[in-house]
Amino acid sequence: MTEPLLVLCALAPEAWALRGGDWSGAAGGPPVLARTGMGRRTAGRRAAALLDVGGYGALLIAGFGAAVGPGVRPGEVIVADRVTDAEGRTHPLTAAPALATAVEEAGLRAHLGTLRTADHVVRGAERSRLHAEGALAVDMEAAAVLAARAEHAPDLPAAVLRVVVDTPERELIRPGTLPAGFRAWRALRAAVPALTAWHRQLNAAPRPPTTPQPSTQPSTLPQEAS
């Protein structure tokens, strides 16, 4: 039996955008959509609790992020093929190319590369430094969620998608952030069919047998995790 997708985001606007997307093609029934809260510590604890419950077919971390170098515009999508943190830990994501392809097929511009998870809002010269180190974008949760996955569900396929809200040319403190934020919100909602296509592709590949789980949610909308 195909198990549902677990979709984690940090903020209410991200959850609103994701919940309003088209989940009609979701494999395994409605995905489980949960907010982790903002920041590494909070996100890591919430992810660990959810992953301990189990019963998911894949993990998708989705939401907004910030570009750290030129060539990426607000509303474009970063698909992480690895996530790093300040302590030097690296989380490779082998399923990333398939998600990037699905995003492009959904009509959105996708960039495949390294995402850096920070414990604070990154601005100015620090963005340039991270870009010089090979990062395309920065967030504040993904590495902590992936660390929880490594401990609690290491065999669970995972991917990270960040829609760019701000760039080095237009940081969050600038007036142009409001329209850029709306553009990113619309792009995140529009990316939902790509998330379901990625999950379907994972399920098309041979997988080890799992214990069937009862389904209690017939709706095509995401389930909200408690």
Side-chain angles (χ1 to χ4, degrees):
M1 178 178 176
T2 301
E3 295 171 311
L5 179 64
L6 174 62
V7 183
L8 300 183
C9 61
L11 305 174
E14 295 168 336
W16 184 25
L18 290 164
R19 186 168 178 79
D22 179 9
W23 293 99
S24 58
V32 177
L33 174 62
R35 285 179 55 193
T36 63
M38 187 174 176
R40 291 169 60 183
R41 182 176 300 179
T42 301
R45 284 199 301 258
R46 178 66 168 141
L50 288 164
L51 291 169
D52 271 343
V53 173
Y56 313 114
L59 167 65
L60 198 292
I61 305 163
F64 305 135
V68 297
V72 183
R73 297 179 178 180
E76 295 181 348
V77 176
I78 303 293
V79 176
D81 59 8
R82 67 173 187 150
V83 176
T84 65
D85 63 24
E87 291 73 38
R89 290 181 288 261
T90 299
H91 303 274
L93 296 163
T94 58
L99 178 58
T101 297
V103 169
E104 291 276 0
E105 289 175 349
L108 300 169
R109 177 79 184 278
H111 303 265
L112 185 66
T114 299
L115 175 71
R116 177 63 167 264
T117 294
D119 58 6
H120 59 279
V121 175
V122 174
R123 295 192 174 99
E126 188 175 5
R127 291 199 194 208
S128 299
R129 177 177 62 79
L130 293 178
H131 180 61
E133 293 174 358
L136 288 183
V138 63
D139 78 347
M140 296 177 65
E141 295 84 26
V145 173
L146 292 173
R149 165 188 170 254
E151 181 177 353
H152 297 270
D155 296 328
L156 187 68
V160 179
L161 179 150
R162 293 299 190 198
V163 179
V164 172
V165 174
D166 65 317
T167 68
E169 297 80 15
R170 290 188 175 182
E171 293 192 338
L172 282 171
I173 57 175
R174 303 216 177 164
T177 300
L178 184 59
F182 182 62
R183 190 178 305 124
W185 186 90
R186 288 191 302 177
L188 183 57
R189 175 172 283 193
V192 167
L195 311 186
T196 61
W198 173 76
H199 188 211
R200 287 195 305 272
Q201 183 176 344
L202 286 180
N203 280 278
R207 297 284 299 277
T210 58
T211 303
Q213 300 290 327
S215 176
T216 59
Q217 174 58 271
S219 169
T220 58
L221 291 175
Q223 306 173 55
E224 296 288 350
S226 58

